Amino acid sequence: MRTLVTGATGFTGEHVVKELLLQGSHQVVAFVRQDNRTTWLREQGVSIYVGDLTDQASLQAALQDVEVLLNVASLGFGHAANIVAAAEAARVRRAVFVSTTAIFTRLHTESKYERLEAERLIQESQLRYTILRPTMIYGTPRDRNIWRLINYLRHWPIIPVVGRGRALQQPVYVEDVAQAIIKCVSSDKAIGRIYNLAGSAPLSFLELIDTVCQHLKRSVLRLHIPVTIAQITARLLHPLGLPVTPEQVQRLNEDKTFDISPARSDLCYTPLSFSEGVTREIACL
């Protein structure tokens, strides 16, 4: 089965490609930009097609003779129209698109509306599609959130907590996401459906800190910072290198929990608990 993966060199895309290769029934093609590192893909026998998501013609050429499209590349940059049009023209048999639960934020962000528009285009297309919406993905040193937290807690005795730290979240382990993406290909139930993908149970930021500390065998003090002060600090210092934006501060106080029972039912989705997942991530230290 000839399968094209966009975003193949990204954090999640790497795991999707590895899962496809383990199955052995896919002829994997990676659609990558000219400047991406592709050595490991070539070493695994993955075919490389160099192009850009802004160029519909290069996408359509890459999709020739492709049966399955796995679009792991972000839908937040306005490329959805090109991808959908190219996939329709190539008459791909099956298409899976990775979106995000960030579309449910109460904040009015440009990326939120870009992704909502992308989902609308996909749903109105002629494709046999599935849309997956993962929550915050973690699992290796390549993730941008939990790995930072692990390293922070390893080295510092105090951690700042915005607000009360009680807002709930449901991080999802990267291999669980990759397996769900591939499972969609063989599931007729998933055609024309949208699924939220999250960890097995929600936990607060304070519980998340406690879980990481437990596995690191460390204890830290929590310094609670009022949300308003945190937003002002982020606004002033983010341009100077602080790795937190005002938008991220606001989202820290949103509950981010989701019903995963449809994915459990249709995709046999059985995600790890955060404790199980972070144990695996800490093993990468």
Side-chain angles (χ1 to χ4, degrees):
M1 185 183 304
R2 189 170 175 84
T3 301
L4 181 75
V5 182
T6 68
T9 58
F11 171 45
T12 304
E14 174 186 343
H15 288 269
V16 171
V17 170
K18 288 177 179 178
E19 289 289 335
L20 289 170
L21 294 173
L22 280 174
Q23 286 195 2
S25 58
H26 294 264
Q27 180 186 353
V28 185
V29 182
F31 187 81
V32 300
R33 293 190 302 270
Q34 183 66 50
D35 59 348
N36 278 134
R37 297 178 181 179
T38 58
T39 301
W40 74 272
L41 290 168
R42 297 180 192 277
E43 289 174 348
Q44 295 299 317
V46 174
S47 301
I48 305 296
Y49 199 101
V50 177
D52 196 289
L53 296 175
T54 62
D55 180 12
Q56 184 180 324
S58 68
L59 270 167
Q60 193 167 329
L63 284 165
Q64 292 305 307
D65 301 320
V66 163
E67 296 174 78
V68 176
L69 166 64
L70 303 181
N71 187 82
V72 188
S74 173
L75 293 176
F77 296 104
H79 303 139
N82 281 344
I83 299 167
V84 168
E88 286 181 323
R91 297 183 179 180
V92 300
R93 183 177 64 81
R94 195 71 171 82
V96 181
F97 294 85
V98 179
S99 184
T100 171
T101 56
I103 64 167
F104 295 113
T105 180
R106 297 188 300 270
L107 304 180
H108 299 289
T109 65
E110 182 177 346
S111 61
K112 167 183 173 178
Y113 295 109
E114 195 70 68
R115 290 181 172 110
L116 285 171
E117 173 63 11
E119 289 193 9
R120 183 190 67 79
L121 290 170
I122 294 164
Q123 291 176 77
E124 293 179 358
S125 74
Q126 300 303 308
L127 299 172
R128 290 159 57 90
Y129 72 85
T130 303
I131 297 173
L132 298 177
R133 296 171 177 154
T135 58
M136 179 176 66
I137 305 173
Y138 73 100
T140 76
R142 292 194 70 187
D143 88 52
R144 293 176 291 181
N145 296 289
I146 301 303
W147 186 251
R148 286 180 181 176
L149 179 65
I150 290 169
N151 278 285
Y152 182 94
L153 292 172
R154 286 176 63 207
H155 296 107
W156 297 94
I158 301 175
I159 182 168
V161 176
V162 177
R164 298 174 61 199
R166 303 287 184 186
L168 297 175
Q169 50 195 297
Q170 215 168 337
V172 60
Y173 192 66
V174 63
E175 289 183 8
D176 290 333
V177 176
Q179 290 165 9
I181 291 169
I182 296 166
K183 182 66 176 179
C184 287
V185 176
S186 58
S187 173
D188 288 341
K189 289 182 180 179
I191 296 172
R193 298 290 305 278
I194 302 176
Y195 300 95
N196 297 326
L197 300 180
S200 62
L203 68 168
S204 70
F205 185 58
L206 294 180
E207 290 172 322
L208 190 149
I209 292 170
D210 287 344
T211 303
V212 174
C213 285
Q214 177 185 350
H215 290 292
L216 290 173
K217 296 180 171 58
R218 282 181 57 82
S219 61
V220 297
L221 297 175
R222 301 151 178 167
L223 177 63
H224 289 265
I225 300 172
V227 175
T228 302
I229 293 176
Q231 287 176 322
I232 293 171
T233 302
R235 190 174 299 113
L236 292 174
L237 298 185
H238 180 68
L240 302 178
L242 183 72
V244 178
T245 67
E247 177 186 324
Q248 288 170 324
V249 169
Q250 289 178 278
R251 293 210 69 216
L252 282 172
N253 284 277
E254 288 186 328
D255 281 334
K256 296 180 279 292
T257 63
F258 303 93
D259 180 13
I260 60 174
S261 57
R264 286 187 186 275
S265 174
D266 293 354
L267 304 176
C268 300
Y269 178 64
T270 54
L272 296 179
S273 69
F274 181 71
S275 181
E276 293 170 316
V278 83
T279 298
R280 297 187 186 188
E281 184 159 4
I282 288 172
C284 298
L285 291 170

